[in-house]
Amino acid sequence: MKKLAILLILTFNFVILNAQKLNIDGKILNFDKKAVENATVYLLKEKDSSIINYTATNREGKFSLKTDNLNEPSILKIDADKLMPFSKRFETIEGSLSLGDIELEKNSVTNIEEVKLTASPVKIKKDTIEFNASSIKVRPDSKIEELLKQIPGVQIDNDGKITINGKEVDQITVNGKPFFDKNGKIALQNLPADIIKNIQFTTTKTKEEELSGKASKSNNATINFNIDEKKNKGLISRLTLGYGSDKRYEGSGLLSYFKNDTKISLLAASNNINSQGFSSDEVFDSMGRGRNSWLMQGGSVFTSGGVTYYSSGNNAKGIQKSTTIGFNYSDKFGKDTDLDNLSLIHVNNNLETRSKSSRTTLLPDYTLKTDSESNGENESQQYNFDLSARIRVDSLTNIYFSPSFSRNEGHNFNTSKSTTFRDNELLNTSDSYNRTDSENNSFSPNIYFSRKFSEKGRELHANMNSSISENKENRLNRSENIFYTLPATSDNRNQYSVRKNFNDNYRFSVGYSEPLSDSLNIGLNVNYNSSNTRSLRDVNDFDTATQDYSVYNEILSNRMNQKIDQITPELSFELNKKKISAWGSFNADISNMNVNSSFTGQYYNLQKDFVLPGYSLGMNYEFSQNKRLNLYHNSDFTIPTAEQLTPYQDLSNPLVAFQGNPDLKNTWSNSTYLYFNNFNMVKNINYYLNIGFTYKNNDIVNYAAFDEGGRQLITYTNISGNKNFNLGGSFSKSFKWKDNKFTINPRINSNYTFNKGFINGQEFTSQTYNINPGLNLGYEIKEKLTARTSYTLGYNFSKYKNYSIDDVNTSNQTLKLELTNYIFKSRLILGNDIEYNTNTNIAPGFKRDFYFWNTSVGYSFFNKQLTAKVKVYDVLNQNQSVRRVISSTYFEDRDDLILKRYVMFSLTMKLNKFAGKKTKN
């Protein structure tokens, strides 16, 4: 691990030494000889006006623009508000230049006809960089995604992740508001480039930071597209229908109308090809895996704070039917009321699962091997309502409220069989059937009040953030469990249970911020949190006499209430300088916890008081505009749950029993994270290095014991010394010539985990090393070819102490190629996603490697308003889901049901109209 860190540091130092070597320095003054701050300085190539680099002046009016040797004419331009622009031509640049003092004259133009207006291609306004869309040359029928690709400093990697000057983009907005989804995919692939006025890049802010005017603590960026006021009216429509072999189908539709501040969107999608959410991918539509892996089933759709999210399912296994219907509305009422979002979403999923697994459980003197098979079906219906609005009471006072409501209904069944062996000796078998009907409702009101004062930095805020939820579950359980150790016993069950959980969490906070200087603020906050959790479980056994579930099972039935009242005073500070910003908070959680429970007719009460200190510190240091270092450190305590504290035995699972421990201590966690990033715009180089470390004292771990029949009893205990260390880095270099672009991106991620625990009364230790080097390559010929390939190699080394085995090692390799050809002016599009996977040390009966290939052929006609496609999923019919999971107490090989080969024909229609005219392709 140390050698790896040294290698990465040496590599990055080599890059630093070979970065830009030349500087153009100067100082900007106005007509009164005073320094001009935030003037935009940029260097252009004379032949095509493409931007080489840009920067802004500091408080003293000074600037230092980095560049390389230039053997062609270039133009340096300087723009500042209310001042005449400045320009200087260079035939060549062969060394650093000092321009001295540059005085800008007052802009005395009073008649608009006196001068031909030309907008600057780039402007820098404090923490916002703004590009003029008209200065970016793209094809007339291009979408706004093409605008991004032409902006210096923007990179889009093989996984679709967007970075700007090295910062990862986590939010894309249109006119300052989300365009249905937070990641902006719908906007990027549907809005035409020629309606955009400018593109703004800024550091992502939380809603609290936005309303209070505080500096952002984020290391991510937000992209905002502003539509030209004359073209801020339009209709976007897209409809896709597809049908294929094995009765596979897909359908999706999008209708979005916008005019000035009003936007109304309708979205619908339905398929049985394991796709969750809505896709407007031009090559594969909703077909998952490959470049669309973010759509794979197992994820969820939800809204929060006015934004719709499609969470990834990480290619979860099974075959899913999914239907999504959504409505989104945003508007502005008068000058002072903004409706950021009103969203309604309904999702209906049906997931069929089937799996087999082989798990080896590690014990001090022997191992247990459990072979199991299961299959099931899970049907769920989800309803989400989300509202977010902002009211400006006056120029200094804002109220923001964002209530949300969600409802989930679930119906599922599962059958499973398992056998457990000890050294080839059969210990137990289990055969079970479960059917569950569930219902979950949750409501979260959130109100935030912010009041600024005339003194800059002085601010008062209050917040109410609560959640109220209830969960009901009816479950039928039939199982036969046989234990073969003498004397042989069995545990057969035929039961019907009703579970109810109620969670009420009310959080109120008030805070005040006071400036001590123009760069230093201190804050005092008081938070109050009241959490009340109530749960009950009633179990009835089947009565053969009455043929009904009427025999109350007192052993498995229980009641539990937990109430925690917490007051947290907090002192915080913020420091914002030109190159460095730092912040910190120090708090004390004063908590009172009461637990009342009833099990097997016995009552148990627990009362505890805590005073738990915590703190967090952060720092951002900017060596230059595109080179920065971020350091975060935090420490806090975690209170054990009621289940972990209550000393009763939960016997609801015949193979695994749980028992709480009232003597548990609070867990103390200490985490440190460091991130360094550098982006060299002139050389198109970006690299980063991140290091993270977490240490836990009194960590709550399982204290497990197995009996002779293979049954497991788990209780809990504290142990200190568990820790985790991670190290990662990435380097990216792009080469551009004419219409060609080649990108190379080596990367590495590594992780070390040290865990201690107890099993069968003995303390064990496990050390796990994960090393994952990889390489991404990309090549583009503008409007003709896009090729992206990646290779990932994963190593896992696990070493154990006080186990019957000393180590478990495994490795996996993944090679991917994404190839897209554009023919006949992009009317004919050929897409191919090819992938090869291999795993080592997989148990017998599991296939170790396979090839995966998706292909698509699409042709557009009627001015590209209609597109017909033929797509094949898993051309070679080899797709599989075999994987190995290694933990501190077991390793498991697993194979799940997965979608196999199918052929599909689809037709897509796009009818868009903007500013009274249809878009012409």
Side-chain angles (χ1 to χ4, degrees):
M1 189 68 69
K2 292 182 179 179
K3 293 181 179 179
L4 179 63
I6 293 173
L7 178 62
L8 283 172
I9 293 172
L10 289 175
T11 302
F12 293 154
N13 283 336
F14 173 79
V15 175
I16 292 172
L17 293 175
N18 287 274
Q20 300 115 315
K21 300 176 182 179
L22 307 181
N23 295 301
I24 301 176
D25 299 328
K27 183 177 181 179
I28 310 300
L29 304 175
N30 65 12
F31 52 90
D32 288 330
K33 309 293 185 182
K34 294 182 180 180
V36 179
E37 184 182 3
N38 280 328
T40 304
V41 183
Y42 52 99
L43 187 66
L44 306 173
K45 290 183 180 180
E46 186 181 55
K47 64 180 181 181
D48 58 6
S49 298
S50 61
I51 299 174
I52 299 172
N53 202 358
Y54 58 87
T55 188
T57 56
N58 59 18
R59 289 184 179 179
E60 291 78 33
K62 295 179 180 180
F63 69 89
S64 180
L65 185 70
K66 297 183 182 297
T67 184
D68 269 345
N69 291 332
L70 287 176
N71 297 318
E72 60 179 301
S74 59
I75 300 175
L76 179 75
K77 292 195 173 186
I78 301 172
D79 291 319
D81 289 341
K82 299 180 181 179
L83 296 172
M84 294 293 291
F86 171 89
S87 65
K88 184 176 180 63
R89 183 180 184 273
F90 302 99
E91 188 67 32
T92 62
I93 297 178
E94 297 177 349
S96 294
L97 301 171
S98 179
L99 304 181
D101 292 348
I102 300 173
E103 185 175 327
L104 303 184
E105 297 295 331
K106 184 177 181 180
N107 193 339
S108 58
V109 175
T110 57
N111 186 349
I112 195 67
E113 296 180 356
E114 292 182 19
V115 65
K116 181 181 178 180
L117 295 177
T118 57
S120 301
V122 60
K123 293 181 181 180
I124 301 176
K125 304 175 182 178
K126 295 184 179 180
D127 63 343
T128 300
I129 302 172
E130 180 179 293
F131 286 88
N132 178 21
S134 62
S135 66
I136 303 171
K137 298 178 180 179
V138 293
R139 203 174 58 189
D141 63 337
S142 296
K143 301 297 185 286
I144 61 175
E145 185 175 25
E146 196 62 33
L147 281 176
L148 283 183
K149 294 179 180 179
Q150 306 305 317
I151 294 176
V154 173
Q155 293 183 326
I156 303 177
D157 68 9
N158 288 12
D159 298 322
K161 182 177 72 175
I162 303 172
T163 57
I164 170 67
N165 295 341
K167 286 186 176 182
E168 182 177 346
V169 174
D170 65 347
Q171 183 168 271
I172 295 176
T173 60
V174 177
N175 290 342
K177 296 181 179 181
F179 199 84
F180 209 99
D181 58 342
K182 182 183 180 183
N183 60 27
K185 286 183 179 291
I186 293 176
L188 288 177
Q189 297 173 357
N190 286 278
L191 288 179
D194 57 8
I195 70 170
I196 301 300
K197 181 179 181 180
N198 55 56
I199 306 102
Q200 297 172 326
F201 303 98
T202 187
T203 303
T204 301
K205 283 189 173 185
T206 64
K207 185 58 67 173
E208 179 181 346
E209 291 169 341
E210 179 185 335
L211 296 178
S212 64
K214 295 180 180 178
S216 171
K217 301 181 180 66
S218 171
N219 195 39
N220 295 322
T222 293
I223 300 176
N224 178 52
F225 293 90
N226 285 315
I227 299 176
D228 191 323
E229 293 85 351
K230 299 178 181 178
K231 302 177 182 179
N232 195 10
K233 177 182 178 181
L235 180 69
I236 298 174
S237 61
R238 180 188 178 101
L239 177 65
T240 297
L241 297 173
Y243 191 79
S245 59
D246 295 331
K247 297 182 180 180
R248 300 296 168 202
Y249 66 87
E250 68 168 326
S252 62
L254 169 68
L255 182 65
S256 183
Y257 168 80
F258 62 91
K259 180 180 180 182
N260 299 326
D261 295 311
T262 303
K263 181 173 70 68
I264 302 174
S265 299
L266 294 172
L267 178 151
S270 182
N271 65 81
N272 62 353
I273 55 174
N274 283 16
S275 178
Q276 175 73 69
F278 179 87
S279 171
S280 55
D281 183 79
E282 297 293 338
V283 182
F284 285 102
D285 297 323
S286 298
M287 182 180 285
R289 200 67 182 268
R291 66 190 73 183
N292 277 351
S293 59
W294 66 278
L295 282 167
M296 293 302 285
Q297 58 83 12
S300 59
V301 181
F302 62 98
T303 52
S304 177
V307 179
T308 301
Y309 298 82
Y310 299 103
S311 68
S312 171
N314 297 319
N315 197 17
K317 312 307 174 184
I319 297 178
Q320 177 174 266
K321 301 175 185 177
S322 176
T323 299
T324 302
I325 301 173
F327 168 80
N328 184 274
Y329 171 60
S330 63
D331 211 334
K332 186 173 184 178
F333 304 99
K335 296 181 179 180
D336 301 321
T337 303
D338 278 333
L339 177 62
D340 287 346
N341 175 79
L342 189 155
S343 179
L344 298 169
I345 292 181
H346 169 63
V347 181
N348 190 342
N349 288 328
N350 182 281
L351 176 64
E352 178 188 356
T353 60
R354 186 169 63 247
S355 67
K356 70 173 182 176
S357 65
S358 177
R359 172 180 292 195
T360 299
T361 303
L362 308 176
L363 299 171
D365 302 317
Y366 57 91
T367 61
L368 296 178
K369 182 182 179 183
T370 302
D371 296 324
S372 62
E373 294 183 359
S374 69
N375 67 82
E377 185 174 336
N378 187 344
E379 183 177 347
S380 64
Q381 295 195 49
Q382 179 182 349
Y383 305 86
N384 288 324
F385 166 81
D386 186 82
L387 173 69
S388 58
R390 173 180 176 177
I391 300 175
R392 298 176 183 86
V393 179
D394 54 45
S395 60
L396 299 175
T397 309
N398 286 278
I399 299 175
Y400 179 81
F401 58 97
S402 55
S404 63
F405 173 79
S406 68
R407 176 181 173 86
N408 293 275
E409 299 175 0
H411 311 277
N412 67 78
F413 77 88
N414 177 268
T415 61
S416 64
K417 295 182 180 181
S418 69
T419 56
T420 301
F421 300 86
R422 172 181 173 179
D423 300 329
N424 296 321
E425 177 189 353
L426 180 62
L427 294 185
N428 63 65
T429 60
S430 178
D431 190 344
S432 67
Y433 168 85
N434 291 283
R435 190 189 73 224
T436 306
D437 298 319
S438 62
E439 177 186 313
N440 182 282
N441 297 290
S442 64
F443 174 64
S444 299
N446 182 19
I447 301 176
Y448 183 84
F449 168 86
S450 175
R451 167 71 180 179
K452 298 178 185 178
F453 296 90
S454 56
E455 178 79 15
K456 183 180 179 181
R458 182 176 296 166
E459 184 257 349
L460 175 69
H461 65 266
N463 186 29
M464 182 193 77
N465 188 0
S466 304
S467 63
I468 304 168
S469 66
E470 63 174 6
N471 176 266
K472 300 176 183 179
E473 180 183 284
N474 299 329
R475 185 179 186 186
L476 175 64
N477 173 33
R478 297 171 181 163
S479 65
E480 296 180 356
N481 306 279
I482 303 175
F483 303 90
Y484 292 92
T485 53
L486 296 177
T489 59
S490 63
D491 185 344
N492 299 328
R493 304 185 181 187
N494 187 359
Q495 300 169 333
Y496 184 81
S497 63
V498 176
R499 298 188 184 203
K500 295 182 180 180
N501 292 283
F502 304 92
N503 295 282
D504 300 331
N505 192 349
Y506 302 97
R507 183 178 182 272
F508 304 92
S509 65
V510 61
Y512 176 76
S513 178
E514 177 69 21
L516 299 184
S517 68
D518 59 349
S519 59
L520 178 63
N521 278 48
I522 62 169
L524 178 63
N525 296 272
V526 178
N527 303 316
Y528 171 73
N529 189 74
S530 177
S531 175
N532 191 2
T533 302
R534 306 179 304 280
S535 63
L536 63 89
R537 181 175 65 201
D538 290 324
V539 180
N540 288 277
D541 294 321
F542 186 73
D543 188 340
T544 56
T546 63
Q547 293 294 300
D548 195 8
Y549 294 92
S550 56
V551 180
Y552 189 71
N553 190 317
E554 190 175 44
I555 295 177
L556 299 183
S557 301
N558 60 63
R559 303 284 190 278
M560 180 179 292
N561 295 328
Q562 180 187 44
K563 186 172 179 12
I564 300 177
D565 291 314
Q566 185 179 82
I567 297 178
T568 306
E570 180 183 83
L571 181 66
S572 62
F573 73 90
E574 286 189 14
L575 175 68
N576 293 291
K577 293 285 190 180
K578 182 67 177 178
K579 285 186 172 293
I580 188 172
S581 60
W583 62 90
S585 63
F586 306 88
N587 61 70
D589 291 337
I590 305 170
S591 304
N592 172 262
M593 181 176 69
N594 287 279
V595 178
N596 303 300
S597 56
S598 170
F599 299 92
T600 62
Q602 299 180 349
Y603 293 92
Y604 178 78
N605 298 318
L606 174 69
Q607 192 276 330
K608 287 192 175 186
D609 295 315
F610 308 102
V611 179
L612 306 175
Y615 66 89
S616 65
L617 300 169
M619 181 198 73
N620 292 335
Y621 183 80
E622 291 192 359
F623 299 92
S624 62
Q625 182 178 337
N626 298 324
K627 184 193 296 184
R628 58 189 170 276
L629 176 71
N630 307 100
L631 179 64
Y632 308 93
H633 178 76
N634 70 281
S635 176
D636 57 18
F637 284 86
T638 304
I639 299 175
T641 65
E643 290 79 8
Q644 292 173 331
L645 289 169
T646 306
Y648 79 97
Q649 279 199 12
D650 183 354
L651 303 174
S652 57
N653 186 333
L655 298 179
V656 183
F658 295 87
Q659 181 173 340
N661 177 5
D663 297 322
L664 287 177
K665 300 176 182 178
N666 302 305
T667 300
W668 175 72
S669 299
N670 199 318
S671 300
T672 301
Y673 178 76
L674 182 144
Y675 179 84
F676 174 78
N677 175 263
N678 187 26
F679 177 75
N680 184 324
M681 186 180 301
V682 175
K683 289 183 176 291
N684 286 312
I685 291 176
N686 179 46
Y687 60 90
Y688 71 83
L689 174 71
N690 63 271
I691 301 173
F693 178 75
T694 300
Y695 177 87
K696 291 188 176 182
N697 194 49
N698 288 325
D699 193 15
I700 298 175
V701 298
N702 290 350
Y703 193 101
F706 289 82
D707 65 14
E708 293 298 322
R711 284 173 290 209
Q712 186 179 8
L713 173 62
I714 296 177
T715 185
Y716 309 95
T717 190
N718 294 109
I719 200 165
S720 297
N722 287 348
K723 49 185 173 281
N724 175 272
F725 175 81
N726 61 77
L727 171 67
S730 174
F731 171 86
S732 177
K733 165 69 176 175
S734 295
F735 303 87
K736 297 180 179 179
W737 68 100
K738 296 183 179 179
D739 290 334
N740 299 265
K741 180 180 178 181
F742 176 72
T743 302
I744 181 171
N745 172 215
R747 66 193 189 282
I748 187 168
N749 288 297
S750 57
N751 184 278
Y752 168 74
T753 302
F754 178 85
N755 278 325
K756 295 191 290 185
F758 294 92
I759 196 161
N760 277 4
Q762 296 189 37
E763 180 180 327
F764 71 86
T765 62
S766 70
Q767 301 182 69
T768 302
Y769 302 83
N770 288 293
I771 303 175
N772 301 281
L775 176 66
N776 290 342
L777 299 175
Y779 177 66
E780 295 181 24
I781 303 177
K782 190 175 181 180
E783 300 177 6
K784 292 182 179 180
L785 172 70
T786 300
R788 295 174 178 173
T789 184
S790 65
Y791 174 73
T792 303
L793 179 62
Y795 290 103
N796 182 291
F797 310 96
S798 297
K799 300 183 181 296
Y800 303 101
K801 184 178 180 181
N802 282 347
Y803 273 152
S804 55
I805 61 174
D806 296 325
D807 56 71
V808 176
N809 302 324
T810 187
S811 66
N812 61 80
Q813 300 179 67
T814 302
L815 178 64
K816 295 181 179 181
L817 173 64
E818 297 177 8
L819 189 65
T820 308
N821 300 87
Y822 303 90
I823 307 171
F824 303 140
K825 296 182 179 180
S826 298
R827 290 185 179 277
L828 178 63
I829 300 179
L830 309 179
N832 287 279
D833 288 0
I834 303 171
E835 181 179 328
Y836 172 72
N837 289 270
T838 181
N839 296 274
T840 64
N841 295 340
I842 296 293
F846 294 88
K847 189 177 180 181
R848 297 191 176 189
D849 62 347
F850 70 97
Y851 290 89
F852 181 82
W853 178 16
N854 284 349
T855 188
S856 169
V857 179
Y859 184 77
S860 299
F861 46 98
F862 289 127
N863 290 326
K864 293 187 178 179
Q865 293 178 350
L866 288 177
T867 302
K869 293 179 189 172
V870 177
K871 301 165 290 186
V872 183
Y873 180 90
D874 188 19
V875 175
L876 303 177
N877 204 30
Q878 290 193 16
N879 192 22
Q880 65 177 36
S881 60
V882 173
R883 64 190 188 276
R884 166 164 284 196
V885 178
I886 300 177
S887 76
S888 59
T889 57
Y890 69 85
F891 60 90
E892 179 182 81
D893 298 315
R894 185 180 181 90
D895 187 8
D896 291 90
L897 173 68
I898 199 167
L899 195 62
K900 289 288 196 175
R901 179 172 60 195
Y902 65 86
V903 181
M904 180 173 289
F905 172 81
S906 68
L907 186 65
T908 298
M909 178 178 67
K910 294 184 289 183
L911 295 175
N912 299 334
K913 189 176 182 180
F914 302 97
K917 296 181 180 179
K918 287 187 177 180
T919 56
K920 294 182 180 180
N921 294 284

